[in-house]
Amino acid sequence: MIRTENIHKKFGDHHVLKGITTEFFKGKTNLIIGRSGAGKTVLLKLLVGLLEPTEGDIFYDDVNFNKLGKKDTRTLRMDVGMLFQASALFDSMTVEENIRFPLDMFTNMTRKEKRKRVDFCLERVSLGFVNDKYPSEISGGMQKRVGIARAIVLNPKYLFCDEPNSGLDPKTAIVIDELIKSITIENNITTVINTHDMNSVMGIGDNIILLHQGQIAWRGNNGEVMESDNEILQNFIFASPFLQDLRDAALEK
Amino acid sequence: MNFKILTHFGRYLIMMGTAFSRPEKTSMYYKETMRQMNDIGVGSLTIVGLIAVFIGAVTAVQFAYQLDGTLVPIYYIGYIVRDSTIIELAPTITCLVLAGKVGSNIAAEIGGMRQKEHIDAMEIMGVNTAAYLIMPKVVAALVVIPLLVAIAAFVSVFGGYIAVVPAGYMSHEEYIQGVRSFFDSYNIFLMFVKATVFAYLLTSVSAYQGYYVKGGSIELGQASTNAVVFSDILILLADYLIAVLLT
């Protein structure tokens, strides 16, 4: 579980996050949603330590992440996997080398063991026969899957996904969502996803927080989205007249 | 008062302090250092060799012109070519050229990784990115650049030979006599000191420019240019200081 307590983040005079206190649960897909500029990416970067909060604390289970020294931070990060918006695969390495990189860096596994682990992770994300390809030689959806394979190769306890569906067609996006969800349940890990994809919200939102102007405007799960009368949530989720009509029709039933 | 330069200097020191910390996995750093040695060393041999030939040739021809009609013995051309290349031209010109070739490459490579979130990805994995991306480059440069400078010095002396002997300025024996005269091994020491200092400056300054790059492709281009400009300025400054302190 990850817990934040009264997180504030300022960039000069710009107050981006204003007192975020929330929990991200183990074994669940925790979603951070909100409009562009709401502070989702900043919150995710704070959670993984790429930014430091101006005020407040972040706890990984009972460990205060912000009070850790550099060495302990690196040790804790070995339990963290992250899927980046643009995948962030090392473009001069093959798919296999990308996934193997954390194993090469942090384990004493033999070449054979590493190969087995890489193959397992690739199989887990339903990718075969791409080991020797470079990231530029595979599609965007495949790159995301390789990114997930790399993120889970060290068996992380915490998985972070920054806009995992951006740039993907709706069908592939659902495949990626389902993959993240099943990995979360299978490994009983804490998964935090930053998204504004409505299919993700309705499909895999076990625990959702809606950020609006740097504050939590709503929290709940995908089952509660439809019935909620929170205006900010409704304006965000059912932004178009088409979606509003769909919601009204669903509620009438 | 503008403290920007102090901010950069402080950040540079912190980055280098982090870069020279204990590696997570020695074998990975060793592999990366070998790759960098190949890129910096083998990859620069042609350009360094070519420039060295012309440095020696031009030095020899110009001294031949200046000594013409004077009482200075003609074999001095070999001596002057040897010492001027060993003490000054080989380390300085070679490293100024390498600042352009290797320095800009380092800044672009690390800067590109920063922009494509590769550095963030490594950080989140728990990798000390300053160490993994910078230390192997600096160590490789400290090993191979002095070797390149030594090769450049040797090739320059040869370049001087082919410029003046076949052209008839002096005989083979006279040039060899000059090259063998008044040899002081301290000059070799001076050459290696310069090469080592310049190698450190050009790699670390370029790495700094790339590591802290922000923005897009324009900023990456600027970082690459800054890497060359600042490396060149610092190499010339260090050249002067070494000359003052060690000669």
Side-chain angles (χ1 to χ4, degrees), chain A residues 53-161:
Chain A
T54 311
E55 199 187 317
D57 291 303
I58 295 163
F59 293 88
Y60 276 66
D61 295 319
D62 291 326
V63 178
N64 189 335
F65 186 55
N66 304 111
K67 295 269 190 308
L68 293 178
K70 272 187 182 174
K71 202 180 162 192
D72 291 330
T73 304
R74 289 205 185 101
T75 309
L76 186 128
R77 277 178 169 165
M78 280 177 229
D79 286 330
V80 172
M82 181 152 177
L83 172 64
F84 283 82
Q85 189 174 352
S87 301
L89 299 176
F90 309 134
D91 37 24
S92 57
M93 294 182 190
T94 62
V95 164
E96 181 169 332
E97 286 165 346
N98 263 283
I99 300 169
R100 207 180 57 211
F101 183 82
L103 298 174
D104 286 337
M105 194 57 110
F106 299 112
T107 72
N108 291 316
M109 291 165 92
T110 61
R111 191 179 282 252
K112 203 177 163 189
E113 287 168 338
K114 284 181 203 165
R115 180 74 196 232
K116 208 173 153 191
R117 180 70 189 154
V118 169
D119 287 344
F120 170 80
C121 290
L122 277 174
E123 220 169 87
R124 184 63 198 84
V125 297
S126 308
L127 275 183
F129 311 108
V130 294
N131 297 49
D132 298 327
K133 291 207 182 295
Y134 285 91
S136 58
E137 295 171 337
I138 57 176
S139 70
M142 287 163 108
Q143 286 182 18
K144 296 274 183 188
R145 283 193 260 175
V146 174
I148 294 171
R150 187 177 67 181
I152 62 168
V153 75
L154 285 177
N155 279 322
K157 289 184 191 165
Y158 314 96
L159 179 65
F160 296 91
C161 305

Side-chain angles (χ1 to χ4, degrees), chain A residues 189-233:
Chain A
I189 57 177
T190 307
T191 298
V192 182
I193 303 170
N194 169 6
T195 187
H196 48 222
D197 185 294
M198 288 315 108
N199 287 325
S200 302
V201 173
M202 301 311 284
I204 61 166
D206 294 336
N207 173 40
I208 305 168
I209 62 165
L210 169 69
L211 287 187
H212 181 69
Q213 293 176 347
Q215 290 177 313
I216 297 178
W218 180 84
R219 69 180 87 213
N221 60 44
N222 50 2
E224 295 163 350
V225 169
M226 287 290 225
E227 283 90 30
S228 171
D229 54 5
N230 184 300
E231 205 177 322
I232 299 167
L233 178 74

Side-chain angles (χ1 to χ4, degrees), chain B residues 59-247:
Chain B
T59 310
V61 170
Q62 286 190 343
F63 274 103
Y65 166 71
Q66 283 181 313
L67 297 184
D68 191 30
T70 67
L71 294 175
V72 180
I74 194 77
Y75 74 87
Y76 263 54
I77 292 171
Y79 157 58
I80 289 165
V81 168
R82 185 201 69 207
D83 270 8
S84 57
T85 53
I86 287 176
I87 297 171
E88 180 59 24
L89 297 176
T92 310
I93 304 288
T94 302
C95 288
L96 288 174
V97 169
L98 289 178
K101 185 189 176 291
V102 176
S104 63
N105 189 39
I106 288 174
E109 182 187 322
I110 298 178
M113 291 184 79
R114 169 69 73 196
Q115 291 181 336
K116 285 187 264 181
E117 294 182 311
H118 294 176
I119 293 181
D120 287 348
M122 284 188 186
E123 281 284 342
I124 288 165
M125 284 175 203
V127 177
N128 177 354
T129 54
Y132 183 66
L133 297 174
I134 297 167
M135 194 198 333
K137 289 180 174 61
V138 176
V139 171
L142 289 176
V143 174
V144 297
I145 290 181
L147 293 176
L148 282 174
V149 168
I151 291 168
F154 181 81
V155 173
S156 284
V157 173
F158 176 69
Y161 178 91
I162 57 173
V164 290
V165 175
Y169 288 98
M170 62 198 296
S171 69
H172 165 79
E173 288 75 19
E174 282 171 326
Y175 190 82
I176 297 299
Q177 186 192 352
V179 168
R180 285 180 171 174
S181 300
F182 318 116
F183 179 70
D184 184 354
S185 60
Y186 181 75
N187 292 341
I188 301 287
F189 166 75
L190 205 57
M191 177 184 80
F192 281 122
V193 168
K194 284 188 178 184
T196 308
V197 171
F198 298 166
Y200 175 79
L201 285 174
L202 79 89
T203 44
S204 63
V205 168
S206 305
Y208 173 79
Q209 291 295 331
Y211 195 74
Y212 288 106
V213 75
K214 280 181 182 166
S217 51
I218 291 173
E219 286 76 12
L220 185 59
Q222 281 168 350
S224 198
T225 306
N226 286 345
V228 180
V229 172
F230 292 130
S231 297
D232 283 351
I233 292 169
L234 288 171
I235 284 170
L236 294 171
L237 187 67
D239 190 27
Y240 171 72
L241 290 174
I242 292 168
V244 169
L245 294 172
L246 298 182
T247 56

